[in-house]
PDB file of all heavy atoms in Angstrom:
ATOM      1  N   ILE A   1      -5.148   2.115   0.331  1.00  0.00           N
ATOM      2  CA  ILE A   1      -6.191   1.129   0.513  1.00  0.00           C
ATOM      3  C   ILE A   1      -7.020   1.510   1.780  1.00  0.00           C
ATOM      4  O   ILE A   1      -6.370   1.494   2.916  1.00  0.00           O
ATOM      5  CB  ILE A   1      -5.686  -0.293   0.488  1.00  0.00           C
ATOM      6  CG1 ILE A   1      -4.824  -0.572  -0.608  1.00  0.00           C
ATOM      7  CG2 ILE A   1      -6.858  -1.230   0.676  1.00  0.00           C
ATOM      8  CD1 ILE A   1      -5.575  -0.604  -1.970  1.00  0.00           C
ATOM      9  N   SER A   2      -8.202   1.823   1.686  1.00  0.00           N
ATOM     10  CA  SER A   2      -8.960   2.142   2.816  1.00  0.00           C
ATOM     11  C   SER A   2      -9.576   1.036   3.591  1.00  0.00           C
ATOM     12  O   SER A   2     -10.807   0.852   3.725  1.00  0.00           O
ATOM     13  CB  SER A   2     -10.094   3.216   2.466  1.00  0.00           C
ATOM     14  OG  SER A   2      -9.567   4.363   1.892  1.00  0.00           O
ATOM     15  N   LYS A   3      -8.644   0.173   4.181  1.00  0.00           N
ATOM     16  CA  LYS A   3      -8.984  -0.841   4.982  1.00  0.00           C
ATOM     17  C   LYS A   3      -8.055  -0.664   6.216  1.00  0.00           C
ATOM     18  O   LYS A   3      -6.871  -0.440   6.100  1.00  0.00           O
ATOM     19  CB  LYS A   3      -8.693  -2.225   4.394  1.00  0.00           C
ATOM     20  CG  LYS A   3      -9.761  -2.507   3.316  1.00  0.00           C
ATOM     21  CD  LYS A   3      -9.478  -3.931   2.713  1.00  0.00           C
ATOM     22  CE  LYS A   3     -10.344  -4.292   1.582  1.00  0.00           C
ATOM     23  NZ  LYS A   3     -10.113  -5.688   0.984  1.00  0.00           N
ATOM     24  N   TYR A   4      -8.658  -0.875   7.488  1.00  0.00           N
ATOM     25  CA  TYR A   4      -7.946  -0.594   8.714  1.00  0.00           C
ATOM     26  C   TYR A   4      -7.864  -1.790   9.601  1.00  0.00           C
ATOM     27  O   TYR A   4      -8.990  -1.968  10.336  1.00  0.00           O
ATOM     28  CB  TYR A   4      -8.501   0.628   9.383  1.00  0.00           C
ATOM     29  CG  TYR A   4      -8.603   1.841   8.457  1.00  0.00           C
ATOM     30  CD1 TYR A   4      -9.828   2.053   7.690  1.00  0.00           C
ATOM     31  CD2 TYR A   4      -7.611   2.682   8.260  1.00  0.00           C
ATOM     32  CE1 TYR A   4      -9.872   3.095   6.830  1.00  0.00           C
ATOM     33  CE2 TYR A   4      -7.693   3.841   7.476  1.00  0.00           C
ATOM     34  CZ  TYR A   4      -8.816   4.085   6.740  1.00  0.00           C
ATOM     35  OH  TYR A   4      -8.882   5.068   5.871  1.00  0.00           O
ATOM     36  N   PRO A   5      -6.908  -2.608   9.778  1.00  0.00           N
ATOM     37  CA  PRO A   5      -5.671  -2.538   8.911  1.00  0.00           C
ATOM     38  C   PRO A   5      -5.845  -3.208   7.522  1.00  0.00           C
ATOM     39  O   PRO A   5      -6.765  -3.892   7.243  1.00  0.00           O
ATOM     40  CB  PRO A   5      -4.695  -3.346   9.738  1.00  0.00           C
ATOM     41  CG  PRO A   5      -5.531  -4.309  10.351  1.00  0.00           C
ATOM     42  CD  PRO A   5      -6.867  -3.689  10.797  1.00  0.00           C
ATOM     43  N   THR A   6      -4.955  -2.884   6.571  1.00  0.00           N
ATOM     44  CA  THR A   6      -4.924  -3.429   5.231  1.00  0.00           C
ATOM     45  C   THR A   6      -4.115  -4.730   5.246  1.00  0.00           C
ATOM     46  O   THR A   6      -2.959  -4.727   5.605  1.00  0.00           O
ATOM     47  CB  THR A   6      -4.333  -2.461   4.232  1.00  0.00           C
ATOM     48  OG1 THR A   6      -4.939  -1.166   4.349  1.00  0.00           O
ATOM     49  CG2 THR A   6      -4.455  -2.949   2.871  1.00  0.00           C
ATOM     50  N   PRO A   7      -4.706  -5.809   4.834  1.00  0.00           N
ATOM     51  CA  PRO A   7      -3.878  -7.114   4.752  1.00  0.00           C
ATOM     52  C   PRO A   7      -2.817  -6.875   3.640  1.00  0.00           C
ATOM     53  O   PRO A   7      -3.088  -6.175   2.700  1.00  0.00           O
ATOM     54  CB  PRO A   7      -4.935  -8.124   4.308  1.00  0.00           C
ATOM     55  CG  PRO A   7      -6.300  -7.537   4.650  1.00  0.00           C
ATOM     56  CD  PRO A   7      -6.127  -6.085   4.568  1.00  0.00           C
ATOM     57  N   PHE A   8      -1.681  -7.563   3.802  1.00  0.00           N
ATOM     58  CA  PHE A   8      -0.630  -7.407   2.857  1.00  0.00           C
ATOM     59  C   PHE A   8      -1.054  -7.862   1.465  1.00  0.00           C
ATOM     60  O   PHE A   8      -0.660  -7.322   0.395  1.00  0.00           O
ATOM     61  CB  PHE A   8       0.651  -8.162   3.245  1.00  0.00           C
ATOM     62  CG  PHE A   8       1.405  -7.469   4.391  1.00  0.00           C
ATOM     63  CD1 PHE A   8       1.476  -8.116   5.634  1.00  0.00           C
ATOM     64  CD2 PHE A   8       1.910  -6.291   4.259  1.00  0.00           C
ATOM     65  CE1 PHE A   8       2.246  -7.429   6.670  1.00  0.00           C
ATOM     66  CE2 PHE A   8       2.628  -5.628   5.221  1.00  0.00           C
ATOM     67  CZ  PHE A   8       2.860  -6.166   6.463  1.00  0.00           C
ATOM     68  N   SER A   9      -1.988  -8.862   1.516  1.00  0.00           N
ATOM     69  CA  SER A   9      -2.362  -9.446   0.201  1.00  0.00           C
ATOM     70  C   SER A   9      -3.233  -8.438  -0.600  1.00  0.00           C
ATOM     71  O   SER A   9      -3.405  -8.535  -1.810  1.00  0.00           O
ATOM     72  CB  SER A   9      -3.178 -10.708   0.398  1.00  0.00           C
ATOM     73  OG  SER A   9      -4.320 -10.443   1.300  1.00  0.00           O
ATOM     74  N   ASP A  10      -3.765  -7.349   0.038  1.00  0.00           N
ATOM     75  CA  ASP A  10      -4.536  -6.331  -0.631  1.00  0.00           C
ATOM     76  C   ASP A  10      -3.717  -5.194  -1.078  1.00  0.00           C
ATOM     77  O   ASP A  10      -4.226  -4.259  -1.815  1.00  0.00           O
ATOM     78  CB  ASP A  10      -5.635  -5.822   0.337  1.00  0.00           C
ATOM     79  CG  ASP A  10      -6.723  -6.861   0.476  1.00  0.00           C
ATOM     80  OD1 ASP A  10      -6.691  -7.929  -0.278  1.00  0.00           O
ATOM     81  OD2 ASP A  10      -7.598  -6.663   1.352  1.00  0.00           O
ATOM     82  N   LEU A  11      -2.407  -5.058  -0.748  1.00  0.00           N
ATOM     83  CA  LEU A  11      -1.621  -3.908  -1.105  1.00  0.00           C
ATOM     84  C   LEU A  11      -1.336  -3.801  -2.693  1.00  0.00           C
ATOM     85  O   LEU A  11      -1.478  -2.756  -3.245  1.00  0.00           O
ATOM     86  CB  LEU A  11      -0.347  -3.898  -0.359  1.00  0.00           C
ATOM     87  CG  LEU A  11      -0.455  -3.725   1.186  1.00  0.00           C
ATOM     88  CD1 LEU A  11       0.913  -3.586   1.784  1.00  0.00           C
ATOM     89  CD2 LEU A  11      -1.102  -2.344   1.489  1.00  0.00           C
ATOM     90  N   LYS A  12      -0.945  -4.918  -3.247  1.00  0.00           N
ATOM     91  CA  LYS A  12      -0.729  -4.923  -4.706  1.00  0.00           C
ATOM     92  C   LYS A  12       0.176  -3.820  -5.135  1.00  0.00           C
ATOM     93  O   LYS A  12      -0.053  -3.153  -6.172  1.00  0.00           O
ATOM     94  CB  LYS A  12      -2.066  -5.027  -5.446  1.00  0.00           C
ATOM     95  CG  LYS A  12      -2.975  -6.140  -4.983  1.00  0.00           C
ATOM     96  CD  LYS A  12      -4.171  -6.285  -5.878  1.00  0.00           C
ATOM     97  CE  LYS A  12      -5.222  -7.313  -5.312  1.00  0.00           C
ATOM     98  NZ  LYS A  12      -4.695  -8.605  -5.192  1.00  0.00           N
ATOM     99  N   LEU A  13       1.255  -3.591  -4.438  1.00  0.00           N
ATOM    100  CA  LEU A  13       2.138  -2.462  -4.692  1.00  0.00           C
ATOM    101  C   LEU A  13       2.841  -2.661  -5.957  1.00  0.00           C
ATOM    102  O   LEU A  13       3.186  -1.672  -6.642  1.00  0.00           O
ATOM    103  CB  LEU A  13       3.120  -2.398  -3.498  1.00  0.00           C
ATOM    104  CG  LEU A  13       2.586  -1.822  -2.203  1.00  0.00           C
ATOM    105  CD1 LEU A  13       3.615  -1.911  -1.191  1.00  0.00           C
ATOM    106  CD2 LEU A  13       2.161  -0.373  -2.401  1.00  0.00           C
ATOM    107  N   SER A  14       3.099  -3.871  -6.500  1.00  0.00           N
ATOM    108  CA  SER A  14       3.711  -4.036  -7.752  1.00  0.00           C
ATOM    109  C   SER A  14       2.884  -3.533  -8.932  1.00  0.00           C
ATOM    110  O   SER A  14       3.386  -3.236 -10.105  1.00  0.00           O
ATOM    111  CB  SER A  14       3.898  -5.499  -7.999  1.00  0.00           C
ATOM    112  OG  SER A  14       2.778  -6.343  -8.190  1.00  0.00           O
ATOM    113  N   GLU A  15       1.543  -3.214  -8.725  1.00  0.00           N
ATOM    114  CA  GLU A  15       0.726  -2.658  -9.758  1.00  0.00           C
ATOM    115  C   GLU A  15       0.654  -1.204  -9.746  1.00  0.00           C
ATOM    116  O   GLU A  15      -0.042  -0.592 -10.559  1.00  0.00           O
ATOM    117  CB  GLU A  15      -0.782  -3.228  -9.619  1.00  0.00           C
ATOM    118  CG  GLU A  15      -0.821  -4.796  -9.729  1.00  0.00           C
ATOM    119  CD  GLU A  15      -2.141  -5.315  -9.445  1.00  0.00           C
ATOM    120  OE1 GLU A  15      -3.162  -4.461  -9.280  1.00  0.00           O
ATOM    121  OE2 GLU A  15      -2.368  -6.560  -9.228  1.00  0.00           O
ATOM    122  N   VAL A  16       1.355  -0.537  -8.766  1.00  0.00           N
ATOM    123  CA  VAL A  16       1.254   0.920  -8.493  1.00  0.00           C
ATOM    124  C   VAL A  16       2.455   1.520  -9.305  1.00  0.00           C
ATOM    125  O   VAL A  16       3.640   1.147  -9.298  1.00  0.00           O
ATOM    126  CB  VAL A  16       1.372   1.285  -7.074  1.00  0.00           C
ATOM    127  CG1 VAL A  16       1.310   2.785  -6.907  1.00  0.00           C
ATOM    128  CG2 VAL A  16       0.197   0.615  -6.298  1.00  0.00           C
ATOM    129  N   ASP A  17       2.057   2.633 -10.104  1.00  0.00           N
ATOM    130  CA  ASP A  17       3.081   3.403 -10.856  1.00  0.00           C
ATOM    131  C   ASP A  17       3.512   4.608  -9.922  1.00  0.00           C
ATOM    132  O   ASP A  17       2.767   5.548  -9.835  1.00  0.00           O
ATOM    133  CB  ASP A  17       2.532   3.893 -12.216  1.00  0.00           C
ATOM    134  CG  ASP A  17       3.584   4.589 -13.098  1.00  0.00           C
ATOM    135  OD1 ASP A  17       4.599   4.894 -12.391  1.00  0.00           O
ATOM    136  OD2 ASP A  17       3.289   4.892 -14.151  1.00  0.00           O
ATOM    137  N   PHE A  18       4.692   4.430  -9.306  1.00  0.00           N
ATOM    138  CA  PHE A  18       5.072   5.543  -8.412  1.00  0.00           C
ATOM    139  C   PHE A  18       5.709   6.684  -9.138  1.00  0.00           C
ATOM    140  O   PHE A  18       6.255   7.546  -8.455  1.00  0.00           O
ATOM    141  CB  PHE A  18       5.940   5.038  -7.264  1.00  0.00           C
ATOM    142  CG  PHE A  18       5.171   4.320  -6.211  1.00  0.00           C
ATOM    143  CD1 PHE A  18       5.168   2.935  -5.986  1.00  0.00           C
ATOM    144  CD2 PHE A  18       4.357   4.971  -5.380  1.00  0.00           C
ATOM    145  CE1 PHE A  18       4.457   2.381  -4.969  1.00  0.00           C
ATOM    146  CE2 PHE A  18       3.627   4.381  -4.356  1.00  0.00           C
ATOM    147  CZ  PHE A  18       3.696   3.098  -4.182  1.00  0.00           C
ATOM    148  N   LYS A  19       5.671   6.663 -10.403  1.00  0.00           N
ATOM    149  CA  LYS A  19       6.027   7.848 -11.235  1.00  0.00           C
ATOM    150  C   LYS A  19       4.824   8.773 -11.307  1.00  0.00           C
ATOM    151  O   LYS A  19       4.938   9.965 -11.506  1.00  0.00           O
ATOM    152  CB  LYS A  19       6.489   7.630 -12.601  1.00  0.00           C
ATOM    153  CG  LYS A  19       7.886   6.775 -12.621  1.00  0.00           C
ATOM    154  CD  LYS A  19       8.305   6.469 -14.002  1.00  0.00           C
ATOM    155  CE  LYS A  19       9.719   5.856 -13.999  1.00  0.00           C
ATOM    156  NZ  LYS A  19      10.150   5.330 -15.342  1.00  0.00           N
ATOM    157  N   LYS A  20       3.593   8.167 -11.109  1.00  0.00           N
ATOM    158  CA  LYS A  20       2.374   8.934 -11.210  1.00  0.00           C
ATOM    159  C   LYS A  20       1.919   9.191  -9.653  1.00  0.00           C
ATOM    160  O   LYS A  20       1.587  10.359  -9.330  1.00  0.00           O
ATOM    161  CB  LYS A  20       1.290   8.255 -11.951  1.00  0.00           C
ATOM    162  CG  LYS A  20       1.517   8.077 -13.438  1.00  0.00           C
ATOM    163  CD  LYS A  20       0.397   7.324 -14.057  1.00  0.00           C
ATOM    164  CE  LYS A  20       0.602   7.115 -15.606  1.00  0.00           C
ATOM    165  NZ  LYS A  20      -0.458   6.414 -16.237  1.00  0.00           N
ATOM    166  N   HIS A  21       1.927   8.166  -8.962  1.00  0.00           N
ATOM    167  CA  HIS A  21       1.681   8.400  -7.463  1.00  0.00           C
ATOM    168  C   HIS A  21       2.862   8.885  -6.815  1.00  0.00           C
ATOM    169  O   HIS A  21       3.982   8.376  -6.956  1.00  0.00           O
ATOM    170  CB  HIS A  21       1.237   7.069  -6.867  1.00  0.00           C
ATOM    171  CG  HIS A  21      -0.068   6.487  -7.307  1.00  0.00           C
ATOM    172  ND1 HIS A  21      -0.235   5.714  -8.366  1.00  0.00           N
ATOM    173  CD2 HIS A  21      -1.377   6.565  -6.639  1.00  0.00           C
ATOM    174  CE1 HIS A  21      -1.539   5.417  -8.531  1.00  0.00           C
ATOM    175  NE2 HIS A  21      -2.247   5.843  -7.495  1.00  0.00           N
ATOM    176  N   ALA A  22       2.728   9.954  -6.041  1.00  0.00           N
ATOM    177  CA  ALA A  22       3.900  10.523  -5.284  1.00  0.00           C
ATOM    178  C   ALA A  22       4.255   9.662  -4.148  1.00  0.00           C
ATOM    179  O   ALA A  22       5.407   9.644  -3.672  1.00  0.00           O
ATOM    180  CB  ALA A  22       3.526  11.970  -4.904  1.00  0.00           C
ATOM    181  N   GLY A  23       3.319   8.911  -3.642  1.00  0.00           N
ATOM    182  CA  GLY A  23       3.651   8.137  -2.464  1.00  0.00           C
ATOM    183  C   GLY A  23       2.497   7.161  -2.018  1.00  0.00           C
ATOM    184  O   GLY A  23       1.663   6.842  -2.760  1.00  0.00           O
ATOM    185  N   PHE A  24       2.559   6.729  -0.723  1.00  0.00           N
ATOM    186  CA  PHE A  24       1.786   5.694  -0.288  1.00  0.00           C
ATOM    187  C   PHE A  24       1.256   6.077   1.073  1.00  0.00           C
ATOM    188  O   PHE A  24       2.010   6.303   2.012  1.00  0.00           O
ATOM    189  CB  PHE A  24       2.620   4.325  -0.191  1.00  0.00           C
ATOM    190  CG  PHE A  24       1.882   3.188   0.380  1.00  0.00           C
ATOM    191  CD1 PHE A  24       0.641   2.942   0.149  1.00  0.00           C
ATOM    192  CD2 PHE A  24       2.701   2.294   1.141  1.00  0.00           C
ATOM    193  CE1 PHE A  24      -0.135   1.799   0.645  1.00  0.00           C
ATOM    194  CE2 PHE A  24       2.195   1.066   1.648  1.00  0.00           C
ATOM    195  CZ  PHE A  24       0.681   0.953   1.406  1.00  0.00           C
ATOM    196  N   SER A  25      -0.026   6.097   1.359  1.00  0.00           N
ATOM    197  CA  SER A  25      -0.658   6.218   2.695  1.00  0.00           C
ATOM    198  C   SER A  25      -0.929   4.712   3.146  1.00  0.00           C
ATOM    199  O   SER A  25      -1.853   4.102   2.670  1.00  0.00           O
ATOM    200  CB  SER A  25      -1.988   7.009   2.555  1.00  0.00           C
ATOM    201  OG  SER A  25      -2.505   7.143   3.858  1.00  0.00           O
ATOM    202  N   ASP A  26      -0.085   4.233   4.036  1.00  0.00           N
ATOM    203  CA  ASP A  26       0.027   2.873   4.448  1.00  0.00           C
ATOM    204  C   ASP A  26      -0.815   2.546   5.742  1.00  0.00           C
ATOM    205  O   ASP A  26      -0.578   3.074   6.718  1.00  0.00           O
ATOM    206  CB  ASP A  26       1.483   2.588   4.713  1.00  0.00           C
ATOM    207  CG  ASP A  26       1.742   1.176   5.054  1.00  0.00           C
ATOM    208  OD1 ASP A  26       0.772   0.309   4.946  1.00  0.00           O
ATOM    209  OD2 ASP A  26       2.800   0.792   5.481  1.00  0.00           O
ATOM    210  N   HIS A  27      -1.868   1.691   5.580  1.00  0.00           N
ATOM    211  CA  HIS A  27      -2.717   1.251   6.657  1.00  0.00           C
ATOM    212  C   HIS A  27      -2.383  -0.224   7.024  1.00  0.00           C
ATOM    213  O   HIS A  27      -3.240  -0.733   7.771  1.00  0.00           O
ATOM    214  CB  HIS A  27      -4.101   1.552   6.337  1.00  0.00           C
ATOM    215  CG  HIS A  27      -4.524   2.942   6.169  1.00  0.00           C
ATOM    216  ND1 HIS A  27      -5.142   3.373   5.085  1.00  0.00           N
ATOM    217  CD2 HIS A  27      -4.123   3.996   6.839  1.00  0.00           C
ATOM    218  CE1 HIS A  27      -5.353   4.715   5.046  1.00  0.00           C
ATOM    219  NE2 HIS A  27      -4.690   5.050   6.168  1.00  0.00           N
ATOM    220  N   SER A  28      -1.269  -0.712   6.499  1.00  0.00           N
ATOM    221  CA  SER A  28      -1.022  -2.192   6.963  1.00  0.00           C
ATOM    222  C   SER A  28      -0.171  -2.076   8.284  1.00  0.00           C
ATOM    223  O   SER A  28       0.205  -1.110   8.823  1.00  0.00           O
ATOM    224  CB  SER A  28      -0.164  -2.778   5.799  1.00  0.00           C
ATOM    225  OG  SER A  28       1.069  -2.161   5.660  1.00  0.00           O
ATOM    226  N   ILE A  29      -0.138  -3.368   8.871  1.00  0.00           N
ATOM    227  CA  ILE A  29       0.576  -3.546  10.097  1.00  0.00           C
ATOM    228  C   ILE A  29       2.073  -3.574   9.868  1.00  0.00           C
ATOM    229  O   ILE A  29       2.534  -4.099   8.944  1.00  0.00           O
ATOM    230  CB  ILE A  29       0.127  -4.778  10.820  1.00  0.00           C
ATOM    231  CG1 ILE A  29      -1.344  -4.841  11.046  1.00  0.00           C
ATOM    232  CG2 ILE A  29       0.891  -5.062  12.038  1.00  0.00           C
ATOM    233  CD1 ILE A  29      -1.846  -3.803  12.071  1.00  0.00           C
ATOM    234  N   GLY A  30       2.816  -2.815  10.738  1.00  0.00           N
ATOM    235  CA  GLY A  30       4.227  -2.777  10.601  1.00  0.00           C
ATOM    236  C   GLY A  30       4.747  -1.843   9.511  1.00  0.00           C
ATOM    237  O   GLY A  30       3.930  -1.036   9.020  1.00  0.00           O
ATOM    238  N   ILE A  31       5.945  -1.887   9.094  1.00  0.00           N
ATOM    239  CA  ILE A  31       6.503  -0.967   8.137  1.00  0.00           C
ATOM    240  C   ILE A  31       6.968  -1.709   6.829  1.00  0.00           C
ATOM    241  O   ILE A  31       7.475  -1.045   5.928  1.00  0.00           O
ATOM    242  CB  ILE A  31       7.704  -0.224   8.682  1.00  0.00           C
ATOM    243  CG1 ILE A  31       8.848  -1.255   9.148  1.00  0.00           C
ATOM    244  CG2 ILE A  31       7.326   0.574   9.871  1.00  0.00           C
ATOM    245  CD1 ILE A  31      10.157  -0.491   9.492  1.00  0.00           C
ATOM    246  N   SER A  32       6.606  -3.021   6.725  1.00  0.00           N
ATOM    247  CA  SER A  32       7.087  -3.590   5.456  1.00  0.00           C
ATOM    248  C   SER A  32       6.404  -3.050   4.146  1.00  0.00           C
ATOM    249  O   SER A  32       7.085  -2.927   3.078  1.00  0.00           O
ATOM    250  CB  SER A  32       6.761  -5.113   5.487  1.00  0.00           C
ATOM    251  OG  SER A  32       7.392  -5.697   6.644  1.00  0.00           O
ATOM    252  N   GLY A  33       5.175  -2.659   4.266  1.00  0.00           N
ATOM    253  CA  GLY A  33       4.438  -2.207   3.151  1.00  0.00           C
ATOM    254  C   GLY A  33       5.087  -0.806   2.792  1.00  0.00           C
ATOM    255  O   GLY A  33       5.255  -0.540   1.614  1.00  0.00           O
ATOM    256  N   SER A  34       5.393   0.026   3.732  1.00  0.00           N
ATOM    257  CA  SER A  34       6.027   1.266   3.437  1.00  0.00           C
ATOM    258  C   SER A  34       7.491   1.068   2.801  1.00  0.00           C
ATOM    259  O   SER A  34       7.780   1.855   1.929  1.00  0.00           O
ATOM    260  CB  SER A  34       6.137   2.122   4.691  1.00  0.00           C
ATOM    261  OG  SER A  34       4.884   2.503   5.260  1.00  0.00           O
ATOM    262  N   LEU A  35       8.243   0.175   3.347  1.00  0.00           N
ATOM    263  CA  LEU A  35       9.500  -0.034   2.758  1.00  0.00           C
ATOM    264  C   LEU A  35       9.484  -0.603   1.381  1.00  0.00           C
ATOM    265  O   LEU A  35      10.240  -0.177   0.465  1.00  0.00           O
ATOM    266  CB  LEU A  35      10.275  -1.040   3.553  1.00  0.00           C
ATOM    267  CG  LEU A  35      10.588  -0.590   5.070  1.00  0.00           C
ATOM    268  CD1 LEU A  35      11.234  -1.716   5.773  1.00  0.00           C
ATOM    269  CD2 LEU A  35      11.588   0.566   4.930  1.00  0.00           C
TER     270      LEU A  35
END
């Protein structure tokens, strides 16, 4: 998500298929989004 920083409410990680996406470029604060 190209917002700096990205609000957690905008991450919507449950909608991401990580079988297709290899990973996550995380611009949110802290490490919760990455985890």
